[in-house]
Amino acid sequence: MKIFAIESSHDDTSFAILENNNPLWMKTITQTEIHKKYGGTIPELASRMHVKNILLLIEELKNLKIDNKEIFKEIDYIAYTKEPGLVGSLQVGYVIAQSMAQIYKKPILGLNHLEGHFYSAFIKKELEFPVLCLLISGGHSQLMHYSKKDEFEIIGETLDDAVGEVYDKIARKLNLGFPGGPVIDKIWQENRDLYTSHFSIPKTENEFDFSFSGIKTAVINLVNNLRQKNQEINVNKIATEFQNTVILYLQNTLKKAINKFNPSLIVLAGGVSANVGIRNMFLGLHKNVYLPEMQYTTDNAMMIARLAYEKVRK
Ligand code: KG4
Ligand code: ZN
């Protein structure tokens, strides 16, 4: 079975082809460079860039052959990201997927982006239930519990900012550029032995919910105070201690959830799952840990194809 998938929910335009559980081809065009100068994604600009980028991907697709045959003769299903995401961006993917499905007379599947992130860890791999998944991205931070296939419950989520969003905001405050995650993670890797303290760990009523705005405010207040007093701002120290806090906070929450739900395996997914510190911490939590390959951590169409495969396979 061959699945063609489109992802366009945020600022990455991506096409992928999966044959059963084997990736055949993927191409992603990212808009990071364009949004960089604004310090975050501008939705209106993102939709316009998707239109431009999706046409570039269609050009590539036209020349693509599978086993020397036109790809759309070979495709069994077309999948696209239906929700959640930026409305204008999602619509670009939807229109193209619908047009292709109608022209080539293929069945179409509109899928959930967050479920796609979950399956990013199962590309080329099979899964067994129950599964506990920590999904951390620029827009979402949540703990998902899959008791069986197609049955998932969100047992905890952020009450305010998403983890990636906080990384981006703190990086902006420290003049480290956008996106903030990779830069702060690099600083952390170089300084973790030097700076081992952390900011205070937040508490929430539901022990599996998250709240990141307190950590964000603590860092921002610290920088403002130092600036006001004309004192030196040690960017490496603040960034490292911020990441120490995130790692410790996620670790504490996950330990509690693993105790309660006793999963067969645990999964880390979403753009922030590229974080080296968080990945290392995660590996020590359970004997069965699934991490997406780096190329499948940020938004991509292969994870949507993998999810589609799970939905339609017998
Ligand atoms: O899942 P994603 O590609 O986009 C959506 O939010 O849907 O995630 C992007 C987020 C950004 O906030 C970025 O700063 C963060 O993932 N990120 C990281 C790292 N790489 C990307 N955060 C922490 N450490 C990283 N190494
Ligand atoms: Zn995402």
Side-chain angles (χ1 to χ4, degrees), residues 219-234 238:
V219 176
I220 291 177
N221 286 347
L222 173 66
V223 175
N224 287 345
N225 281 338
L226 291 170
R227 263 189 204 145
Q228 245 168 25
K229 292 184 197 148
N230 250 338
Q231 288 176 350
E232 184 215 353
I233 296 169
N234 185 339
I238 297 173

Side-chain angles (χ1 to χ4, degrees), residues 7 9-10 113-114 117 135 137-140 270-271 297-300 303:
E7 156 65 39
S9 66
H10 189 212
H113 180 77
L114 304 175
H117 270 301
L135 171 64
S137 73
H140 295 87
T297 56
T298 45
D299 292 347
N300 67 89
M303 69 186 195

Side-chain angles (χ1 to χ4, degrees), residues 21-38:
N21 198 356
N22 295 311
L24 290 186
W25 175 84
M26 180 170 91
K27 180 96 195 218
T28 304
I29 307 181
T30 159
Q31 306 176 9
T32 312
E33 281 307 312
I34 291 141
H35 298 288
K36 219 176 201 165
K37 48 181 176 287
Y38 305 103

Side-chain angles (χ1 to χ4, degrees), residues 52-69:
K52 185 167 168 259
N53 293 340
I54 218 157
L55 295 176
L56 294 174
L57 291 181
I58 289 172
E59 274 308 308
E60 295 235 3
L61 209 58
K62 279 203 265 183
N63 302 321
L64 196 73
K65 297 243 163 34
I66 298 178
D67 300 332
N68 242 342
K69 293 179 201 126

